[in-house]
Amino acid sequence: MPDSIRHICGISGGKDSSALAVYMRPRVPEMEYFFCDTGAELPETYEYLTRLEVILGQPIARLNASRGFEHWFEVFRGTLPSPQMRWCTKNMKIKPIEEWIGDAPARSYVAIRADERNRKGYVSTKRNIETCFPFIEDEIDRKGVLRILEDAGIGLPEYYEWRTRSGCYFCFYQRKAEWIGLADRHPELFDRAVAIEQKVLLEAGADGEADFTDRAMRGRQYTWSGGETLVQLRSRRDEILARHDAALSRAATRQANLPLVESLADALDEDDDTAPCTVCAL
């Protein structure tokens, strides 16, 4: 492979992309590592990236630092991102990556595991970017990822104690129990998410404490979590956590000695089970 090709590895702050960075370091010494900083990441994510830089022995390029969520929120006139309109992914992840790469030939290493080989990750449509999947090629699954991180001495980000994926603190893909985890551990961030949501509701002429009609919800995302405001969600804290604990127990029953991070990922409760963003949550 010509030396002119750039080798790049994106890091989300999650376990899979971090393990891939560690895994590829001795295999591709010229690798460039990058992180798309939305300005709305969890404190645990930033702390983990700092630790990862020590393990890698080189800095992780921060992309998009000057254009975070607030900028694009105004550009899209106060419309919340949603599964149907993921302007956050497009403008805070994909565009910065492709601008950073430019037109030079590049090989992008993506952290899709062997046990999720049917999952689709970010694959650029630009002809100068080639995508490869080392974990699939080398048959590395979730247990293999955990082993890589343990052997490197870095372990997992602390947010995995209550959250199943990386991403912005207000990510609309969060499960309701994860919103409660945010409220418990980072109440100031939860309050910021509430403030953003209430601003959207106010501009839409809706009552943030009221139930939403189908007409009011049609065609636009008015709340971060489907069907209710964050204020309403927080008022159901005990109910949500009870359901979540029951789901964790079911996951543990299916497989003994399941690590917490795997139990969280496997715990499907009645409130929600949404697939994560395929760009943000590796």
mmCIF file of all heavy atoms in Angstrom, residues 82-107:
data_model
loop_
_atom_site.group_PDB
_atom_site.id
_atom_site.type_symbol
_atom_site.label_atom_id
_atom_site.label_comp_id
_atom_site.label_asym_id
_atom_site.label_seq_id
_atom_site.Cartn_x
_atom_site.Cartn_y
_atom_site.Cartn_z
ATOM 1 N N SER A 82 -33.461 13.882 15.585
ATOM 2 C CA SER A 82 -34.285 12.712 15.836
ATOM 3 C C SER A 82 -33.844 11.598 14.911
ATOM 4 O O SER A 82 -33.058 11.823 13.983
ATOM 5 C CB SER A 82 -35.767 13.039 15.578
ATOM 6 O OG SER A 82 -35.985 13.254 14.189
ATOM 7 N N PRO A 83 -34.350 10.363 15.119
ATOM 8 C CA PRO A 83 -33.995 9.278 14.195
ATOM 9 C C PRO A 83 -34.383 9.587 12.750
ATOM 10 O O PRO A 83 -33.754 9.103 11.816
ATOM 11 C CB PRO A 83 -34.780 8.084 14.738
ATOM 12 C CG PRO A 83 -34.934 8.378 16.196
ATOM 13 C CD PRO A 83 -35.124 9.865 16.270
ATOM 14 N N GLN A 84 -35.426 10.400 12.578
ATOM 15 C CA GLN A 84 -35.858 10.756 11.230
ATOM 16 C C GLN A 84 -35.077 11.934 10.652
ATOM 17 O O GLN A 84 -35.008 12.102 9.436
ATOM 18 C CB GLN A 84 -37.360 11.108 11.231
ATOM 19 C CG GLN A 84 -38.288 9.950 11.531
ATOM 20 C CD GLN A 84 -38.244 9.535 12.992
ATOM 21 O OE1 GLN A 84 -38.155 10.392 13.877
ATOM 22 N NE2 GLN A 84 -38.323 8.233 13.248
ATOM 23 N N MET A 85 -34.509 12.762 11.503
ATOM 24 C CA MET A 85 -33.750 13.928 11.060
ATOM 25 C C MET A 85 -32.471 14.025 11.887
ATOM 26 O O MET A 85 -32.386 14.785 12.852
ATOM 27 C CB MET A 85 -34.567 15.221 11.192
ATOM 28 C CG MET A 85 -33.875 16.448 10.611
ATOM 29 S SD MET A 85 -34.807 17.983 10.854
ATOM 30 C CE MET A 85 -36.143 17.727 9.691
ATOM 31 N N ARG A 86 -31.469 13.256 11.503
ATOM 32 C CA ARG A 86 -30.234 13.176 12.289
ATOM 33 C C ARG A 86 -29.240 14.233 11.808
ATOM 34 O O ARG A 86 -28.137 13.909 11.384
ATOM 35 C CB ARG A 86 -29.645 11.773 12.203
ATOM 36 C CG ARG A 86 -30.479 10.727 12.902
ATOM 37 C CD ARG A 86 -29.732 9.426 13.048
ATOM 38 N NE ARG A 86 -29.424 8.830 11.752
ATOM 39 C CZ ARG A 86 -28.601 7.808 11.587
ATOM 40 N NH1 ARG A 86 -27.995 7.270 12.626
ATOM 41 N NH2 ARG A 86 -28.382 7.316 10.392
ATOM 42 N N TRP A 87 -29.652 15.492 11.903
ATOM 43 C CA TRP A 87 -28.744 16.552 11.453
ATOM 44 C C TRP A 87 -27.502 16.620 12.333
ATOM 45 O O TRP A 87 -26.454 17.098 11.902
ATOM 46 C CB TRP A 87 -29.460 17.892 11.388
ATOM 47 C CG TRP A 87 -30.108 18.394 12.651
ATOM 48 C CD1 TRP A 87 -31.437 18.385 12.946
ATOM 49 C CD2 TRP A 87 -29.458 19.011 13.779
ATOM 50 N NE1 TRP A 87 -31.659 18.948 14.193
ATOM 51 C CE2 TRP A 87 -30.465 19.353 14.714
ATOM 52 C CE3 TRP A 87 -28.138 19.317 14.075
ATOM 53 C CZ2 TRP A 87 -30.188 19.970 15.931
ATOM 54 C CZ3 TRP A 87 -27.853 19.925 15.292
ATOM 55 C CH2 TRP A 87 -28.864 20.256 16.197
ATOM 56 N N CYS A 88 -27.592 16.123 13.551
ATOM 57 C CA CYS A 88 -26.418 16.133 14.435
ATOM 58 C C CYS A 88 -25.329 15.215 13.882
ATOM 59 O O CYS A 88 -24.152 15.595 13.822
ATOM 60 C CB CYS A 88 -26.819 15.711 15.841
ATOM 61 S SG CYS A 88 -27.711 14.136 15.922
ATOM 62 N N THR A 89 -25.718 14.022 13.453
ATOM 63 C CA THR A 89 -24.740 13.085 12.896
ATOM 64 C C THR A 89 -24.116 13.634 11.626
ATOM 65 O O THR A 89 -22.890 13.586 11.441
ATOM 66 C CB THR A 89 -25.424 11.732 12.603
ATOM 67 O OG1 THR A 89 -25.996 11.228 13.811
ATOM 68 C CG2 THR A 89 -24.426 10.728 12.049
ATOM 69 N N LYS A 90 -24.936 14.150 10.756
ATOM 70 C CA LYS A 90 -24.451 14.653 9.464
ATOM 71 C C LYS A 90 -23.501 15.821 9.633
ATOM 72 O O LYS A 90 -22.422 15.861 9.027
ATOM 73 C CB LYS A 90 -25.638 15.064 8.591
ATOM 74 C CG LYS A 90 -25.230 15.645 7.237
ATOM 75 C CD LYS A 90 -26.451 16.035 6.433
ATOM 76 C CE LYS A 90 -26.056 16.647 5.091
ATOM 77 N NZ LYS A 90 -27.249 17.051 4.308
ATOM 78 N N ASN A 91 -23.875 16.779 10.475
ATOM 79 C CA ASN A 91 -23.114 18.026 10.555
ATOM 80 C C ASN A 91 -22.032 18.038 11.619
ATOM 81 O O ASN A 91 -21.069 18.796 11.497
ATOM 82 C CB ASN A 91 -24.083 19.196 10.806
ATOM 83 C CG ASN A 91 -24.972 19.454 9.616
ATOM 84 O OD1 ASN A 91 -24.544 19.990 8.607
ATOM 85 N ND2 ASN A 91 -26.233 19.058 9.729
ATOM 86 N N MET A 92 -22.168 17.218 12.645
ATOM 87 C CA MET A 92 -21.164 17.217 13.703
ATOM 88 C C MET A 92 -20.264 15.996 13.681
ATOM 89 O O MET A 92 -19.315 15.906 14.459
ATOM 90 C CB MET A 92 -21.850 17.335 15.074
ATOM 91 C CG MET A 92 -22.564 18.664 15.259
ATOM 92 S SD MET A 92 -23.047 18.997 16.973
ATOM 93 C CE MET A 92 -24.273 17.720 17.231
ATOM 94 N N LYS A 93 -20.556 15.048 12.800
ATOM 95 C CA LYS A 93 -19.731 13.841 12.697
ATOM 96 C C LYS A 93 -19.211 13.646 11.275
ATOM 97 O O LYS A 93 -18.012 13.700 11.020
ATOM 98 C CB LYS A 93 -20.537 12.608 13.139
ATOM 99 C CG LYS A 93 -21.053 12.656 14.570
ATOM 100 C CD LYS A 93 -19.944 12.441 15.592
ATOM 101 C CE LYS A 93 -20.499 12.390 17.005
ATOM 102 N NZ LYS A 93 -19.449 12.123 18.012
ATOM 103 N N ILE A 94 -20.122 13.404 10.333
ATOM 104 C CA ILE A 94 -19.708 13.012 8.986
ATOM 105 C C ILE A 94 -19.001 14.142 8.246
ATOM 106 O O ILE A 94 -17.911 13.942 7.683
ATOM 107 C CB ILE A 94 -20.917 12.503 8.189
ATOM 108 C CG1 ILE A 94 -21.459 11.222 8.837
ATOM 109 C CG2 ILE A 94 -20.519 12.244 6.734
ATOM 110 C CD1 ILE A 94 -22.713 10.682 8.187
ATOM 111 N N LYS A 95 -19.599 15.338 8.229
ATOM 112 C CA LYS A 95 -18.967 16.445 7.507
ATOM 113 C C LYS A 95 -17.576 16.793 8.045
ATOM 114 O O LYS A 95 -16.635 16.968 7.264
ATOM 115 C CB LYS A 95 -19.882 17.674 7.534
ATOM 116 C CG LYS A 95 -21.018 17.613 6.527
ATOM 117 C CD LYS A 95 -21.779 18.924 6.483
ATOM 118 C CE LYS A 95 -22.848 18.904 5.402
ATOM 119 N NZ LYS A 95 -23.585 20.194 5.346
ATOM 120 N N PRO A 96 -17.400 16.920 9.362
ATOM 121 C CA PRO A 96 -16.054 17.221 9.872
ATOM 122 C C PRO A 96 -15.028 16.152 9.522
ATOM 123 O O PRO A 96 -13.877 16.467 9.242
ATOM 124 C CB PRO A 96 -16.272 17.315 11.393
ATOM 125 C CG PRO A 96 -17.701 17.662 11.549
ATOM 126 C CD PRO A 96 -18.412 16.966 10.431
ATOM 127 N N ILE A 97 -15.460 14.879 9.537
ATOM 128 C CA ILE A 97 -14.538 13.805 9.176
ATOM 129 C C ILE A 97 -14.072 13.975 7.735
ATOM 130 O O ILE A 97 -12.871 13.945 7.438
ATOM 131 C CB ILE A 97 -15.212 12.431 9.348
ATOM 132 C CG1 ILE A 97 -15.488 12.136 10.819
ATOM 133 C CG2 ILE A 97 -14.337 11.323 8.746
ATOM 134 C CD1 ILE A 97 -16.353 10.908 11.042
ATOM 135 N N GLU A 98 -15.016 14.170 6.836
ATOM 136 C CA GLU A 98 -14.676 14.248 5.420
ATOM 137 C C GLU A 98 -13.899 15.517 5.092
ATOM 138 O O GLU A 98 -13.030 15.510 4.210
ATOM 139 C CB GLU A 98 -15.944 14.116 4.582
ATOM 140 C CG GLU A 98 -16.594 12.737 4.753
ATOM 141 C CD GLU A 98 -17.763 12.480 3.826
ATOM 142 O OE1 GLU A 98 -18.292 13.463 3.257
ATOM 143 O OE2 GLU A 98 -18.158 11.304 3.665
ATOM 144 N N GLU A 99 -14.183 16.613 5.795
ATOM 145 C CA GLU A 99 -13.401 17.836 5.599
ATOM 146 C C GLU A 99 -11.970 17.648 6.098
ATOM 147 O O GLU A 99 -11.016 18.128 5.481
ATOM 148 C CB GLU A 99 -14.066 19.003 6.328
ATOM 149 C CG GLU A 99 -15.359 19.475 5.673
ATOM 150 C CD GLU A 99 -16.066 20.534 6.495
ATOM 151 O OE1 GLU A 99 -15.526 20.914 7.573
ATOM 152 O OE2 GLU A 99 -17.151 20.986 6.087
ATOM 153 N N TRP A 100 -11.810 16.955 7.216
ATOM 154 C CA TRP A 100 -10.478 16.708 7.780
ATOM 155 C C TRP A 100 -9.653 15.815 6.865
ATOM 156 O O TRP A 100 -8.468 16.044 6.660
ATOM 157 C CB TRP A 100 -10.646 16.066 9.160
ATOM 158 C CG TRP A 100 -9.373 15.725 9.869
ATOM 159 C CD1 TRP A 100 -8.429 16.585 10.343
ATOM 160 C CD2 TRP A 100 -8.918 14.403 10.214
ATOM 161 N NE1 TRP A 100 -7.413 15.897 10.965
ATOM 162 C CE2 TRP A 100 -7.687 14.552 10.902
ATOM 163 C CE3 TRP A 100 -9.443 13.128 10.023
ATOM 164 C CZ2 TRP A 100 -6.971 13.466 11.385
ATOM 165 C CZ3 TRP A 100 -8.739 12.041 10.506
ATOM 166 C CH2 TRP A 100 -7.510 12.208 11.178
ATOM 167 N N ILE A 101 -10.287 14.827 6.283
ATOM 168 C CA ILE A 101 -9.576 13.928 5.374
ATOM 169 C C ILE A 101 -9.231 14.630 4.065
ATOM 170 O O ILE A 101 -8.143 14.463 3.511
ATOM 171 C CB ILE A 101 -10.426 12.673 5.086
ATOM 172 C CG1 ILE A 101 -10.615 11.859 6.375
ATOM 173 C CG2 ILE A 101 -9.759 11.804 4.011
ATOM 174 C CD1 ILE A 101 -11.600 10.722 6.234
ATOM 175 N N GLY A 102 -10.163 15.435 3.561
ATOM 176 C CA GLY A 102 -9.927 16.119 2.293
ATOM 177 C C GLY A 102 -9.996 15.147 1.121
ATOM 178 O O GLY A 102 -10.732 14.156 1.149
ATOM 179 N N ASP A 103 -9.196 15.410 0.113
ATOM 180 C CA ASP A 103 -9.233 14.592 -1.099
ATOM 181 C C ASP A 103 -8.080 13.593 -1.187
ATOM 182 O O ASP A 103 -7.938 12.882 -2.190
ATOM 183 C CB ASP A 103 -9.207 15.499 -2.340
ATOM 184 C CG ASP A 103 -10.449 16.381 -2.426
ATOM 185 O OD1 ASP A 103 -11.535 15.904 -2.037
ATOM 186 O OD2 ASP A 103 -10.333 17.552 -2.846
ATOM 187 N N ALA A 104 -7.250 13.535 -0.153
ATOM 188 C CA ALA A 104 -6.124 12.595 -0.170
ATOM 189 C C ALA A 104 -6.635 11.164 0.005
ATOM 190 O O ALA A 104 -7.635 10.931 0.707
ATOM 191 C CB ALA A 104 -5.147 12.930 0.953
ATOM 192 N N PRO A 105 -5.979 10.183 -0.600
ATOM 193 C CA PRO A 105 -6.374 8.785 -0.389
ATOM 194 C C PRO A 105 -6.269 8.428 1.094
ATOM 195 O O PRO A 105 -5.290 8.774 1.757
ATOM 196 C CB PRO A 105 -5.357 7.993 -1.226
ATOM 197 C CG PRO A 105 -4.831 8.970 -2.218
ATOM 198 C CD PRO A 105 -4.838 10.304 -1.529
ATOM 199 N N ALA A 106 -7.281 7.760 1.619
ATOM 200 C CA ALA A 106 -7.290 7.420 3.040
ATOM 201 C C ALA A 106 -7.940 6.060 3.249
ATOM 202 O O ALA A 106 -8.855 5.667 2.516
ATOM 203 C CB ALA A 106 -8.027 8.482 3.843
ATOM 204 N N ARG A 107 -7.467 5.373 4.266
ATOM 205 C CA ARG A 107 -8.070 4.110 4.671
ATOM 206 C C ARG A 107 -8.635 4.297 6.066
ATOM 207 O O ARG A 107 -7.908 4.602 7.011
ATOM 208 C CB ARG A 107 -7.042 2.971 4.649
ATOM 209 C CG ARG A 107 -7.702 1.608 4.775
ATOM 210 C CD ARG A 107 -6.711 0.467 4.579
ATOM 211 N NE ARG A 107 -7.403 -0.774 4.283
ATOM 212 C CZ ARG A 107 -6.924 -1.981 4.534
ATOM 213 N NH1 ARG A 107 -5.731 -2.108 5.099
ATOM 214 N NH2 ARG A 107 -7.604 -3.051 4.233
#
